[in-house]
Amino acid sequence: MTVPTPAVAPRVNPLQRIWLREIGMERLWLRPAPADARAPVAPQAPVSKPVLLDSGVAARAPNAPVGHVNVSGQPAAVQAPVGALPPAAVPASAPMPAAASAAASSAVSTAAPVAAPAAVATERSSGRPGIPASILNRTGPPPRPVPKTAEEEAVEAPRIPVAEAVKNANLDELREQVVACTACGLCQGRRHAVFGHGATPTRWLVVGEAPGEQEDRQGHPFVGRSGQLLDAMLAAVGMSRDTDVFITNVIKCRPPGNRNPKPEEIAACSPYLMRQIALLRPERILVLGRFAAQTLLGTDATIGSLRGRVHTLKTEDGSQIPLIVSYHPAYLLRSPSEKARAWQDLKLASRQI
C-alpha cells in the first residue's frame, strides 16, 4: 500500500517570490497543490555568474543559497537584481501566469541597464594604452571635421626662379622686382632693397658687394663715409655718379651685422645684377671688393691676384665688356695704405676708355 506524500508548496526562487508578491499572487501560487496533481520539480541550476549590484546595495555572500533570507526578513536576492536567469531555474511544470511574465520582462528590462554604466565606467577608468582619454571618454558619434577656410585651401603659386622672372624685364620692371624680392632670407630683415642709382645710359658700372647700414636706411648705394670716398675717387678720373656712373651691388639687401654674403644669397641675387648689365650696357665695369669680383668672374681667387689687370665679362648678347677689380672703399678706410693701389686701378680703367 502506497503512503500518500504530504502536500508541499511549489518551490520558487527568491526573484520569482518577489514577482508574485508584487502582483498579489504569492499566497495563491504557494498554496500546496493536491498530491496527485503535483508534478516533479526540476532541480534549480545555481547562478554561476556574479551579478552587478546597484549603487548603495550590499552584495549577497558568494556561498549563500539562492533562497537564503537575510536578517531583515527579505530574500537576499532582493539586494542584487539579476539581469537574466538560466532557463533551468524556472520549473518546467509550473507555467508562470501572464501577469507574472509581464512583470518579469519589465524587471529584466529595467535591471539590465544598471550593469551597463558600471561596466563602461570600469573600462574607461582603466584606460587603454595608446588611445587618448578624450576618445575613450567620448560619447555619441565622432565630431565632424572643421571645414577648411579659403586661406587654408589656397595653394601657394609655384615660385618662379629669379633668372626666369627677370629675363624680359626692363629697367623699371626690374627695379620693382628687386623691391618685392623674397628669393632669400635677407628680405626678412631689410628696410629697403637697394636697386642702384646713377646715370642711364651709363659709361661706367660700379659694382659693390652689399648694402651697409646707411644704404639700408636710405635705399641708395654707397652712402656715408665709403660713398664719399668713392665719389672722390671717381671725380679724380673725371667721373660722376649723376652723369657718367651707375652704382649698384651684387646683393640688394643688407646682410645682418654687415657680415659677408653667403653663397646661396649671392646665387639668388646675382641674376638681378646680370640683367642690369644687359640693360645698361656700360663701357667699363669697376668691381669693388672680393665677393663682387668672385661673383662676376666666377672664381675664388683673392682680390690681390685679380686687381692690376683687365678682365673681360661676356654678356647675354655675346658682347664683351672690360672689367677692372679694385679694393672696396670701406676697406680703404680701414687700410689707408692701400689707396695708392686703388688709384692705379682707377687709372687702368680710365685708360681703357
Side-chain angles (χ1 to χ4, degrees), residues 54-94:
D54 196 359
S55 58
V57 181
R60 178 176 57 86
N63 298 326
V66 177
H68 174 70
V69 179
N70 58 16
V71 178
S72 61
Q74 299 294 334
V78 176
Q79 301 176 3
V82 181
L85 285 175
V90 181
S93 61

Side-chain angles (χ1 to χ4, degrees), residues 192-240:
H192 295 92
V194 182
F195 175 75
H197 176 74
T200 54
T202 185
R203 296 175 62 190
W204 280 20
L205 177 63
V206 177
V207 181
E209 296 178 344
E213 182 179 2
Q214 294 300 322
E215 288 81 359
D216 183 50
R217 288 178 180 272
Q218 302 181 31
H220 296 290
F222 282 93
V223 296
R225 294 183 59 198
S226 61
Q228 295 173 3
L229 178 57
L230 177 60
D231 290 340
M233 293 168 60
L234 294 175
V237 293
M239 293 290 172
S240 169

Side-chain angles (χ1 to χ4, degrees), residues 297-314:
L297 296 177
T299 180
D300 56 356
T302 63
I303 191 171
S305 63
L306 295 175
R307 60 159 299 275
R309 55 194 176 98
V310 180
H311 303 270
T312 301
L313 178 67
K314 188 174 182 180

Side-chain angles (χ1 to χ4, degrees), residues 204 226-239 286 288 326-329 332 339 341-343 345-346:
W204 280 20
S226 61
Q228 295 173 3
L229 178 57
L230 177 60
D231 290 340
M233 293 168 60
L234 294 175
V237 293
M239 293 290 172
L286 178 63
L288 306 177
S326 186
Y327 296 108
H328 196 281
L332 296 177
K339 289 182 179 180
R341 295 183 179 180
W343 172 244
D345 297 330
L346 287 174

Side-chain angles (χ1 to χ4, degrees), residues 142-208:
R144 294 182 179 180
V146 180
K148 293 184 178 181
T149 61
E151 292 77 5
E152 295 175 343
E153 292 181 350
V155 179
E156 183 180 359
R159 179 175 296 179
I160 303 176
V162 175
E164 186 68 22
V166 304
K167 187 176 182 180
N168 299 317
N170 57 34
L171 203 61
D172 293 333
E173 293 172 345
L174 188 64
R175 185 188 300 272
E176 294 176 358
Q177 292 182 16
V178 169
V179 171
C181 178
T182 58
C184 69
L186 293 180
C187 65
Q188 300 177 0
R190 74 186 178 201
R191 291 188 179 94
H192 295 92
V194 182
F195 175 75
H197 176 74
T200 54
T202 185
R203 296 175 62 190
W204 280 20
L205 177 63
V206 177
V207 181

